Amino acid sequence: MNCVRLYSLVLITVLCYSVRMHVADSPLIRLEHCSVSDGRQTFLSNLSWTMRRGEVWLIIGANGSGKSFFLEALAGRFCITADDTPHDSRACVTTSFGDSVEVVSLERAAQVIAEERLNDESEYTPGGIDIGRTGQLFIAEPLVGIVKNGALLPEAAQHIEAHPAVQVCGVAHILKRGLRYMSTGEIRRTLLARALVSGKKLLILSDPFTGLDADSRTVLLTFFNTMAQRQRTSPADEAVFPYIIISLERYVEVPDAITHVLEFTDGAISFCGERDRYEQLLRERESAHVAVHAGQKVVFTHGVAALAHERALMAGKSEYSAQGRPVDSEQHRTDTSAAETSAVLVEMNHVSVGWGDNRVLIDVSWSLRAHEHWLIRGPNGSGKTTFLELITGDNTQVFANDVRIFGQRRGSGESIWDIKKQLGIVSYRLHVEYRMVGSIALEDVIVSGFYDSIGLYISAADADRLAARSWLALGGFAGRESESFSALSYGEQRMILILRAVVKCPPLLILDEPCHGLDAHSRQRVLDLLETIAEIGSTTLLHVTHERDEVLACERHILELCPGQTPMYRIIEK
């Protein structure tokens, strides 16, 4: 009897061990010969990929590579179907996560802000301000559902600030603020906190560090490494800690815990394997790229200069040479250099901006002269975007302050169109507004830069259309003039908006994190473009970025915002 009992115990132990081994070895996600579509159009085909326990994956790919379609398909927003054929019965799609997947991305942030703008009821609200959903409500929605304005907050929402996710993401101090009033970095961290609160089993974090200041990056990088390390070593914690897939446009700031890489190129998988092998491949590519880029940059900068020269001729600025630079003559320098250099483009005198108890800018006095290229920097929420919006006219508090644009005080009867025709703008706000326009051809987006409109509502001149096509070709979009803006990836959309901003070679180019969502190649092209425009000398740059390697050599003046300090800013000359 004891032998039977012992045999039974051994058998049960072996069976349990076998079951555990089977669970441990079974894939979390398995795709074999699959396609991604929206039910009408197929975006990706012949996909094969397996994610197993203990693996931490990075998904990477250039703008337009198909990576975004793949990520959205994993989240259930596109269909993944097996391509069964008589010749191959291995096609299948299996996942352990079902619909318990959440994506945190620049795309999702733009969608949220667009929703808030559509639901803005300020015109029906006493005081004229509807702040919309607060960070508190938005983060708590996965727990309590949608709460209507004015309704009593459920207890879980009232105490959401105590949730560990809120503390880790550093958003406790902005919970009462409306989503529309958050900076780009703040809305990204709020989205991450909501995803963690949701209890989803799989989190897909797309470019999680984009738009974050240095301190926020350090905290989140440590957090991701900790989460991913649990994913690798503690499968028993699956019920408590979500699995993480990270997606990047560029191979930078990769968490140490990443073990495997899946790369997309031109709508197909171009690499699938271990991290060490991928890094070896990158080293081989980089050595070949360095020599190629030097030659490409020469051709590219000559193209930019030629287009700027054509625009200058159309504007009657005959002092430009065929290379797009001012004619190097003593007479030219005498007549124009001193006047142009001394011209004040923007002047702010004791400017203060805020909402309720939230003071964003306090007693700022600053001026911008022609050909002085400035870098604006500061932590998330320090007021960088607000500062720029006082210049672009997108913040109404400009009328309560002494702000002068091109010599004229705002609110003194000037035309906003007279101001905007001298500005080129790349910003998160502009990107959101263009996404709300819907379907518009790429050529029309570029042409709209000549008319300072969101969308194109007039019959454009042939010369403007010709210039737009030339800029599209220079930006890598030759032959795609009729494609829809809404069909592009987020990074491709951003590249189009940069071309829109520079097409008229404006006196002042305002760049609020212009390289958001750009892959390594597109980012380098944009930096080369800005550098060339600065060298030509007809445009002054005002540039916001958190990325040290995006600071241009010409940006020798720095305005650093320092919230909580007195004064709350400092000026640095390099």
Side-chain angles (χ1 to χ4, degrees):
M1 189 70 173
N2 288 337
C3 289
V4 173
R5 186 175 298 163
L6 179 61
Y7 175 78
S8 300
L9 181 60
V10 171
L11 181 60
I12 292 172
T13 302
V14 171
L15 287 173
C16 289
Y17 177 77
S18 299
V19 170
R20 284 200 300 271
M21 288 300 294
H22 174 72
V23 170
D25 290 341
S26 62
L28 293 165
I29 301 175
R30 184 185 175 206
L31 308 179
E32 289 287 347
H33 303 287
C34 295
S35 295
V36 170
S37 72
D38 62 359
R40 296 169 298 177
Q41 180 182 358
T42 298
F43 304 116
L44 303 171
S45 58
N46 197 28
L47 294 177
S48 294
W49 173 66
T50 301
M51 175 181 174
R52 297 181 175 86
R53 287 173 172 80
E55 297 175 348
V56 184
W57 282 83
L58 167 68
I59 315 296
I60 196 166
N63 301 140
S65 64
K67 170 174 54 65
S68 298
F69 291 125
F70 180 73
L71 298 178
E72 293 295 339
L74 292 180
R77 297 191 179 102
F78 290 121
C79 302
I80 303 179
T81 54
D83 295 331
D84 280 316
T85 69
H87 307 289
D88 192 346
S89 60
R90 296 173 300 161
C92 70
V93 50
T94 59
T95 175
S96 302
F97 303 111
D99 60 357
S100 187
V101 183
E102 187 67 39
V103 177
V104 179
S105 64
L106 289 166
E107 291 261 5
R108 178 60 180 140
Q111 290 169 5
V112 169
I113 297 303
E115 290 169 6
E116 290 301 296
R117 295 205 175 175
L118 285 173
N119 296 323
D120 184 4
E121 297 184 350
S122 293
E123 58 184 306
Y124 309 112
T125 303
I129 298 178
D130 171 24
I131 67 171
R133 283 181 295 180
T134 63
Q136 180 183 30
L137 278 177
F138 184 68
I139 293 171
E141 278 180 355
L143 302 177
V144 303
I146 304 297
V147 179
K148 294 183 178 180
N149 284 343
L152 182 66
L153 289 180
E155 187 172 351
Q158 292 180 25
H159 302 291
I160 199 68
E161 73 277 359
H163 197 288
V166 171
Q167 300 301 318
V168 166
C169 296
V171 294
H173 67 293
I174 57 174
L175 290 178
K176 302 295 186 183
R177 194 182 305 172
L179 297 177
R180 290 199 304 276
Y181 298 94
M182 293 184 183
S183 69
T184 307
E186 289 170 337
I187 192 68
R188 296 293 306 285
R189 285 185 284 155
T190 300
L191 277 168
L192 178 58
R194 176 189 167 103
L196 292 170
V197 165
S198 72
K200 296 293 180 71
K201 296 178 182 178
L202 174 63
L203 300 186
I204 300 174
L205 309 175
S206 180
D207 278 307
F209 306 109
T210 298
L212 299 186
D213 56 45
D215 290 342
S216 297
R217 291 181 187 206
T218 300
V219 170
L220 289 182
L221 189 61
T222 301
F223 169 69
F224 295 151
N225 274 321
T226 301
M227 294 279 285
Q229 193 62 38
R230 289 180 182 273
Q231 181 173 320
R232 292 178 58 184
T233 61
S234 306
D237 291 340
E238 289 178 17
V240 180
F241 298 98
Y243 280 90
I244 292 178
I245 292 176
I246 291 181
S247 170
L248 297 174
E249 302 291 347
R250 300 184 293 130
Y251 198 80
V252 293
E253 292 185 306
V254 179
D256 295 335
I258 292 292
T259 61
H260 291 72
V261 178
L262 181 68
E263 180 191 66
F264 283 85
T265 303
D266 296 330
I269 293 174
S270 51
F271 179 89
C272 181
E274 295 180 352
R275 173 178 181 160
D276 290 346
R277 286 176 48 217
Y278 185 70
E279 290 181 344
Q280 176 61 34
L281 177 63
L282 288 183
R283 287 191 288 270
E284 294 170 1
R285 289 177 181 173
E286 181 60 25
S287 60
H289 172 72
V290 171
V292 172
H293 174 250
Q296 289 177 337
K297 183 177 180 181
V298 172
V299 174
F300 178 77
T301 53
H302 282 172
V304 172
L307 288 175
H309 170 59
E310 290 177 12
R311 189 64 192 171
L313 290 177
M314 290 179 63
K317 298 179 180 179
S318 56
E319 70 269 16
Y320 283 85
S321 70
Q323 288 73 42
R325 291 179 173 80
V327 173
D328 187 15
S329 68
E330 187 65 34
Q331 183 64 41
H332 170 74
R333 286 195 299 272
T334 301
D335 292 345
T336 64
S337 277
E340 288 184 354
T341 301
S342 62
V344 178
L345 304 183
V346 181
E347 185 178 1
M348 297 186 184
N349 298 302
H350 304 289
V351 168
S352 296
V353 176
W355 299 271
D357 296 332
N358 181 37
R359 310 308 297 168
V360 182
L361 300 176
I362 302 173
D363 198 26
V364 175
S365 293
W366 171 83
S367 63
L368 169 67
R369 294 182 179 276
H371 312 307
E372 290 182 352
H373 306 296
W374 281 75
L375 171 70
I376 313 296
R377 70 187 187 192
N380 293 141
S382 61
K384 300 184 298 297
T385 296
T386 299
F387 179 85
L388 295 183
E389 289 182 344
L390 290 173
I391 301 171
T392 62
D394 293 315
N395 189 306
T396 57
Q397 293 197 37
V398 66
F399 301 114
N401 284 280
D402 185 359
V403 178
R404 302 168 190 269
I405 314 294
F406 302 106
Q408 191 160 8
R409 179 167 178 166
R410 290 304 314 277
S412 61
E414 81 290 356
S415 166
I416 185 62
W417 301 108
D418 286 339
I419 291 175
K420 283 191 176 290
K421 72 181 181 182
Q422 302 185 75
L423 304 178
I425 302 168
V426 179
S427 68
Y428 185 63
R429 174 191 285 266
L430 178 72
H431 200 152
V432 169
E433 289 177 345
Y434 245 105
R435 287 171 63 91
M436 294 175 68
V437 169
S439 180
I440 176 172
L442 301 189
E443 182 178 312
D444 287 347
V445 175
I446 304 300
V447 171
S448 73
F450 290 116
Y451 304 98
D452 307 305
S453 58
I454 308 298
L456 188 62
Y457 308 100
I458 64 171
S459 179
D462 290 342
D464 292 341
R465 290 202 171 276
L466 182 61
R469 292 189 200 108
S470 297
W471 279 102
L472 282 169
L474 199 64
F477 293 88
R480 302 177 64 182
E481 296 87 355
S482 298
E483 286 189 27
S484 172
F485 181 80
S486 60
L488 302 187
S489 70
Y490 187 93
E492 287 178 308
Q493 290 177 351
R494 182 54 66 100
M495 187 68 177
I496 291 295
L497 293 178
I498 291 169
L499 297 175
R500 175 190 179 274
V502 301
V503 69
K504 63 182 178 182
C505 299
L508 179 56
L509 186 56
I510 296 176
L511 307 156
D512 192 356
E513 304 269 17
C515 294
H516 266 189
L518 296 186
D519 59 49
H521 177 71
S522 298
R523 174 180 170 276
Q524 187 60 60
R525 180 168 289 193
V526 166
L527 296 178
D528 290 344
L529 169 64
L530 298 179
E531 188 176 84
T532 304
I533 287 174
E535 288 177 358
I536 289 172
S538 58
T539 298
T540 300
L541 307 184
L542 193 54
H543 182 198
V544 168
T545 182
H546 287 291
E547 309 290 342
R548 292 184 179 181
D549 57 354
E550 290 178 7
V551 177
L552 302 173
C554 65
E555 294 168 351
R556 300 190 180 91
H557 309 272
I558 301 172
L559 177 66
E560 184 169 24
L561 301 183
C562 312
Q565 299 183 23
T566 303
M568 60 86 62
Y569 68 97
R570 58 178 180 150
I571 292 174
I572 303 168
E573 304 287 344
K574 290 197 291 185

